[in-house]
Amino acid sequence: MIGGARQPREEGPPPVPPSHQGCAIRSVRVQLPARRREPTGELRAELRDRHEDGHHLHHLVWRLDPSLRVCSSAVLGGGIGPRAWILNAQVPGGYPRLDPDRHLAEIAAAEGLTGPGAGLMTAADVAAYTTGHDGGVTATVTTGLGVRGWAAAPESATHAPHRPGTVNIVVTLPTALSDAALVNAVATATEAKVQALLDAGLDCSGTPTDAVCVAAPEPGPDGGEPFAGPRSAWGARIARAVHTAVLAGARTAR
């Protein structure tokens, strides 16, 4: 994530006036077969590539079922609510733009994505994404650790400019979660990320721009699973899946 989470745009990505079209997206091509679901029913991301201002970049796209909702800290479409898609887009190092939410909307429009969505950014190689699976939970992670450190840093460190290195985590699961459990799931995923970074031998809790998205079905009359902490049934699966994906990515990125 670059910057703080913005309010969800329930109407989907805004139209992009010509004066704000800061990136020239010349092509969007399928890199992998557009196969959205494994035989187990787990939702899979599609790896895509694009040419933008002379750069060859990648992004991951999740095209979500209408029954799913997302809890995220994404720069575009953050918060809790129904989302039609999730986008994790690679940008060049030294990212120059000051409107990442609009940039993500441009990429989404080029992909033909409509409706409300959640968008994340990273300077990491998105094509090197890693995954973890546990009991129906899938965690997909892009790992950029060029600007890493500890969350509780001295105040002087919080004023330094941050480059979009970023550990982005997208978790999908087949079971409905209550609002509280969705928030709990984001916390559990973050705890598992830190554990994986330490297990990889890194002296950090992450980067200043890390982001998390958790996608789960809308709860029915029963309100959904009430807990997603690391010792709950679904929280434990989330933790193990995220730990597997982050550990694999951190060992490659370091």
Side-chain angles (χ1 to χ4, degrees):
M1 182 184 80
I2 309 299
R6 307 294 179 87
Q7 292 297 315
R9 292 192 175 97
E10 296 297 331
E11 73 278 7
V16 182
S19 62
H20 291 284
Q21 291 178 346
C23 64
I25 302 174
R26 295 194 291 109
S27 65
V28 178
R29 302 196 305 274
V30 177
Q31 282 291 96
L32 295 179
R35 181 181 177 186
R36 293 182 51 214
R37 292 185 180 275
E38 290 292 282
T40 59
E42 294 178 0
L43 186 66
R44 287 287 305 274
E46 299 171 21
L47 178 64
R48 316 279 281 188
D49 69 358
R50 70 189 191 278
H51 288 90
E52 199 176 296
D53 293 339
H55 299 282
H56 182 201
L57 304 167
H58 294 89
H59 52 272
L60 289 166
V61 178
W62 291 257
R63 302 175 193 272
L64 305 181
D65 291 339
S67 62
L68 294 180
R69 63 176 184 160
V70 173
C71 177
S72 82
S73 59
V75 66
L76 173 66
I80 299 178
R83 301 289 181 267
W85 47 267
I86 300 172
L87 173 69
N88 185 11
Q90 180 183 356
V91 296
Y95 183 68
R97 291 184 60 163
L98 300 177
D99 59 345
D101 55 342
R102 185 173 293 278
H103 187 184
L104 285 162
E106 293 169 4
I107 298 169
E111 268 289 352
L113 302 174
T114 59
L120 308 91
M121 278 187 173
T122 181
D125 180 7
V126 167
Y129 73 95
T130 54
T131 59
H133 307 270
D134 195 288
V137 174
T138 298
T140 305
V141 174
T142 52
T143 308
L145 294 166
V147 186
R148 59 181 183 263
W150 292 100
E155 184 176 0
S156 59
T158 65
H159 301 302
H162 300 307
R163 291 180 289 130
T166 311
V167 179
N168 283 338
I169 300 170
V170 176
V171 175
T172 61
L173 64 155
T175 296
L177 302 177
S178 68
D179 286 358
L182 270 175
V183 175
N184 205 177
V186 171
T188 295
T190 303
E191 290 182 42
K193 175 198 73 175
V194 176
Q195 181 182 347
L197 294 175
L198 295 178
D199 287 347
L202 298 173
D203 188 26
C204 66
S205 59
T207 84
T209 53
D210 292 353
V212 181
C213 286
V214 178
E218 288 272 7
D222 63 354
E225 290 287 328
F227 305 112
R231 294 287 73 83
S232 68
W234 285 101
R237 293 166 185 160
I238 290 170
R240 289 190 293 265
V242 170
H243 182 272
T244 296
V246 175
L247 184 59
R251 285 173 171 166
T252 302
R254 57 176 304 181

